[in-house]
Amino acid sequence: MTAHLEVAEGVGTIRLDRPPMNALDIATQDRLKELAAEATRRDDVRAVVIYGGEKVFAAGADIKEMQAMDHAAMIARSGALQESFTAVARIPKPVVAAVNGYALGGGCELALCADFRIAADNVKLGQPEILLGLIPGAGGTQRLARLVGPSKAKDLIFTGRQVKAEEALAIGLVDRVVPAAEVYEQAHAWAARLAQGPAIALRAAKESIDAGLETDLDTGLAIERTWFAGLFATEDRQRGMRSFVEEGPGKAKFV
Ligand code: CAA
């Protein structure tokens, strides 16, 4: 298997494992979709980390595999490629990418599917597809522009240049930079903290933000208030409010 799910402390780690560069061939893309479904389904997974191992996050789709594909073959495949990444983006739990080494092309696009990106100080991110005569095909033109704005996205996608940690942090492409040796540990710790939170409220927050960004303000507000009212049916809401009244803020234990 070129990727698997490891679960510890309520955190499921989607671990890419296709040395040397974690090139995302079709089998790995399909596997990612399966693992996203497993992480979504399993109650013992309350937050997720995406990690490529000690050296590299992922250097993109497998160029050697794609070289043999023609227009018709890619028409047939491109929907499934996007679906795999969208399955990761739609995991209804907090998802943290632990990004180190190279995160290029589909690797950068996979990191964009997470809610937060913790980067190693040795990271190099980019969308180099233009250097292959292509554009990003796993969501990069859409998710990168939504995250960093259209002109930065066009800069990166038009030039294919690689962005180091400091610039990635400055433009909001990553959220935190840590020493390379700590990137997984820090991402896991962050996810483990979120895994203690109220699962349904976290899902409501994620779905409201993500769905709201794709629509007009009134529709977004309707999505928010529907979820907000719905959360009054949860045991976590009762526990949260009771704990506040009896013990003060921030002490609730959620189920
Ligand atoms: N696909 C297939 N093989 C890849 C690969 C990829 N994306 N990236 C690296 N490899 C292979 C190399 O061909 C090489 O294989 P061999 O040992 O058999 O020659 C091996 O991995 C090691 O790579 P390098 O020797 O190139 O290592 P390096 O340290 O000199 O460079 C790198 C590392 C900068 C990541 C460089 O390999 C590189 O530029 N890779 C391609 C990055 C890229 O263009 N990604 C976009 C792919 S297209 C895409 O992702 C489309 C989409 O939107 C979904």
Side-chain angles (χ1 to χ4, degrees):
M1 286 291 181
T2 54
H4 57 272
L5 184 72
E6 296 161 7
V7 183
E9 295 174 68
V11 177
T13 297
I14 295 178
R15 168 72 156 86
L16 302 171
D17 189 12
R18 189 162 184 259
M21 289 289 159
N22 288 332
L24 304 167
D25 64 347
I26 288 173
T28 308
Q29 295 162 19
D30 289 345
R31 183 77 184 129
L32 271 176
K33 187 175 177 183
E34 288 170 10
L35 294 176
E38 187 180 342
T40 297
R41 191 174 59 241
R42 280 176 64 164
D43 287 339
D44 58 339
V45 175
R46 296 167 58 101
V48 173
V49 173
I50 310 174
Y51 181 51
E54 285 173 14
K55 293 208 176 84
V56 66
F57 188 72
D62 189 324
I63 299 168
K64 291 166 187 163
E65 183 181 58
M66 284 191 299
Q67 189 184 10
M69 295 173 78
D70 62 10
H71 181 201
M74 194 46 93
I75 286 178
R77 180 63 205 170
S78 55
L81 166 67
Q82 290 189 340
E83 277 171 24
S84 292
F85 284 64
T86 295
V88 174
R90 301 251 166 97
I91 294 170
K93 305 174 185 184
V95 178
V96 184
V99 197
N100 54 354
Y102 292 105
L104 300 175
C108 187
E109 290 166 299
L110 182 59
L112 290 169
C113 293
D115 301 310
F116 312 98
R117 280 147 293 279
I118 299 195
D121 52 12
N122 68 358
V123 81
K124 288 185 183 152
L125 300 120
Q127 296 291 162
E129 290 87 348
I130 206 80
L131 307 175
L132 302 166
L134 289 174
I135 64 170
T141 64
Q142 303 305 303
R143 294 195 178 95
L144 183 61
R146 281 164 173 73
L147 186 66
V148 303
S151 48
K152 273 291 163 217
K154 286 173 183 167
D155 166 10
L156 299 188
I157 290 170
F158 289 3
T159 65
R161 71 186 178 86
Q162 294 177 9
V163 173
K164 292 186 183 162
E166 191 183 345
E167 183 183 0
L169 187 64
I171 67 174
L173 178 52
V174 302
D175 301 287
R176 205 198 293 172
V177 176
V178 301
E182 292 171 25
V183 69
Y184 178 68
E185 185 191 324
Q186 298 244 11
H188 196 276
W190 195 350
R193 195 155 66 239
L194 293 170
Q196 303 297 314
I200 301 176
L202 285 165
R203 177 182 189 145
K206 179 165 179 168
E207 293 196 9
S208 298
I209 293 166
D210 287 348
L213 283 172
E214 301 311 323
T215 186
D216 61 284
L217 181 62
D218 280 345
T219 308
L221 289 168
I223 293 168
E224 179 186 89
R225 71 172 171 269
T226 305
W227 267 116
F228 179 70
L231 290 170
F232 280 71
T234 65
E235 188 179 339
D236 279 341
R237 190 281 301 191
Q238 290 178 13
R239 284 173 168 258
M241 290 190 171
R242 188 168 57 236
S243 168
F244 173 83
V245 170
E246 291 172 6
E247 307 165 291
K251 301 209 174 61
K253 296 264 183 292
F254 296 109
V255 291

